[in-house]
Amino acid sequence: MNQKILAIQEIYREGKERLERAGILEAELDAWYLLEHVTGISKASYYGNPAREIRRQEKEQYFYYIEERKKRIPLQHLTGEQGFMGLVFCVNRHVLIPRQDTEILVETALERMKPGMQILDMCTGSGCILLSLLKLCKAEGVTGTGTDISKEALRVAVSNAERLGIRAKFVQGDLFENIGSQKIFDMIVSNPPYIPTAVIDGLQEEVKLYDPYVALDGREDGLFFYRRIVKESISYIKRDGCLLFEIGCEQAEAVAGLMEKAGYKDIRVKKDLAGLDRVVYGMYNGE
Ligand code: GLN
C-alpha cells in the first residue's frame, strides 16, 4: 500500500475493503473495532476529523490485525475483550467468547437471586456468567464458585474477577470432581459444551478453528454434559435450589426430560431474542 496514505478514513476504508474481499461477514464493523482498538479514537472523534493522520506505527499495527482477521481469527481474540451484560471480559483462545444468547441465562438467574445464596457456575470458561451474576445482583451476601476442567480458562476467569473487582472462588476439575461433598448450592448455572460432534465441522471458521474445542463438543448427541450435570447436581444442590442451563435450540425437551427424571419440578423454557429455545431451568424437589 502507498506509504503516503495516512489519513484515518483512508486506512479505515482500506481495512474494510480487505475484509470484504476476504469474505468476512461483518467487515465494516470489524474494521471499525480494530481501528478503535489500535488508535483509541472514538466514532465521534473520527467523524469530527476523518482526514486526521495517524502514526505509521498504528497503521502497520492496524493492517497486521486486518490480515489476522482475514485468517478468520475472531475479532475478540485480536482485541482481547468482549462485552457481556454491560461488562467487559478479557478473552483468549482458551475460553469461549461470551455470546449474547448467554445473557438470557444470566437474566433468568438474576430474577431468582435471593440474599445469602451460594451459586455454582459449572464450566465457567471466562467466568462471564458467574461474574455478571455477582456483579449485577441486588441481593446481599451472595457468594459464587466457578469450575472448569481447563486451567488456562480458569486463569482467564480469575483475571476477569480481579479486573472487575469481584470476589469469587474458582476450582479446577472435571465437573463436580473438586467441588466438595456438601449440598450447599442454592443455584447451579451452566452453559456446558452442547454441540454434537458431527455438527462442529459445519460451523463458521471463527468458531470451528479458534474457539476451544472442549468448550463446544457435547459428544454424539450434544447432551453428554447435561446428562452428567443433571445426574450429579442432586448431590450438591439444596432442596428448592434452582438449576439453570443454556441449551442448543433443539435440546429443550431432552434437557427438561433429564431434569424431571432426576427430581426437578416447575421446569420452564425461555427463548432467546431470535425466538429460539435457549434456557431450561427448574427447582430441585428432592432432599
Ligand atoms: N460459561 C462460559 C460461557 O458461557 C463457557 C461455556 C463453555 O465453555 N461451554 O461463555
Side-chain angles (χ1 to χ4, degrees):
M1 200 187 145
N2 185 344
Q3 285 299 322
K4 275 182 271 173
I5 300 175
L6 282 169
I8 192 166
Q9 63 182 351
E10 298 301 328
I11 284 162
Y12 176 38
R13 184 183 311 143
E14 169 78 17
K16 196 171 72 183
E17 284 172 8
R18 285 196 201 179
L19 294 185
E20 274 164 4
R21 279 197 299 273
I24 299 294
L25 274 182
E26 309 217 309
E28 187 165 351
L29 265 183
D30 288 8
W32 171 260
Y33 283 129
L34 290 174
L35 190 67
E36 197 176 33
H37 180 67
V38 170
T39 63
I41 290 170
S42 69
K43 267 234 152 103
S45 147
Y46 172 85
Y47 284 110
N49 182 11
R52 91 159 67 184
E53 297 192 348
I54 65 169
R55 291 199 301 271
R56 170 170 308 169
Q57 208 188 340
E58 286 179 329
K59 181 187 119 176
E60 277 163 12
Q61 177 81 59
Y62 180 59
F63 287 117
Y64 168 77
Y65 282 139
I66 291 286
E67 292 306 308
E68 291 293 280
R69 184 70 192 92
K70 278 168 64 180
K71 297 179 203 157
R72 300 297 193 270
I73 295 176
L75 173 74
Q76 296 86 343
H77 287 184
L78 300 174
T79 62
E81 56 186 45
Q82 170 66 33
F84 181 80
M85 293 302 295
L87 305 168
V88 176
F89 287 87
C90 287
V91 295
N92 62 24
R93 65 196 166 86
H94 298 296
V95 298
L96 200 72
I97 299 166
R99 311 293 208 260
Q100 208 180 11
D101 289 338
T102 306
E103 295 188 344
I104 312 285
L105 175 65
V106 174
E107 284 160 8
T108 311
L110 280 174
E111 289 162 12
R112 276 153 195 84
M113 302 277 267
K114 300 211 175 69
M117 268 191 167
Q118 296 207 46
I119 315 170
L120 175 66
D121 178 17
M122 182 54 66
C123 311
T124 197
S126 65
C128 64
I129 298 172
L130 180 70
L131 298 173
S132 311
L133 287 174
L134 293 173
K135 185 86 183 176
L136 302 174
C137 86
K138 303 265 187 293
E140 299 279 321
V142 174
T143 55
T145 304
T147 181
D148 205 287
I149 197 163
S150 158
K151 282 200 187 86
E152 291 87 356
L154 286 174
R155 248 179 245 135
V156 177
V158 167
S159 87
N160 277 320
E162 281 167 5
R163 282 186 51 257
L164 293 164
I166 302 165
R167 280 178 59 149
K169 186 173 155 195
F170 290 102
V171 179
Q172 191 270 334
D174 180 14
L175 299 186
F176 293 93
E177 186 184 20
N178 294 321
I179 292 303
S181 55
Q182 288 164 299
K183 266 170 133 22
I184 55 168
F185 294 105
D186 304 280
M187 180 181 272
I188 301 179
V189 288
S190 184
N191 176 22
Y194 60 67
I195 302 174
T197 309
V199 173
I200 294 178
D201 214 35
L203 297 177
Q204 64 182 118
E205 290 191 5
E206 281 83 348
V207 176
K208 186 171 69 184
L209 301 179
Y210 297 106
D211 266 333
Y213 193 82
V214 284
L216 301 174
D217 185 20
R219 315 276 170 101
E220 286 78 8
D221 61 356
L223 298 172
F224 179 83
F225 292 99
Y226 296 110
R227 282 194 197 93
R228 281 191 58 194
I229 295 169
V230 168
K231 193 164 150 217
E232 295 174 33
S233 70
I234 63 170
S235 306
Y236 300 88
I237 197 163
K238 288 188 197 162
R239 186 182 171 86
D240 291 324
C242 191
L243 173 64
L244 303 99
F245 283 119
E246 176 172 325
I247 52 150
C249 59
E250 290 164 354
Q251 296 169 327
E253 206 178 312
V255 173
L258 292 171
M259 288 176 66
E260 206 176 331
K261 230 171 80 192
Y264 286 88
K265 60 168 185 176
D266 295 335
I267 299 165
R268 308 232 164 106
V269 178
K270 257 199 168 167
K271 293 188 188 301
D272 61 23
L273 299 174
L276 303 170
D277 290 345
R278 189 56 62 197
V279 168
V280 175
Y281 63 101
M283 317 288 273
Y284 184 55
N285 200 24
E287 288 306 326

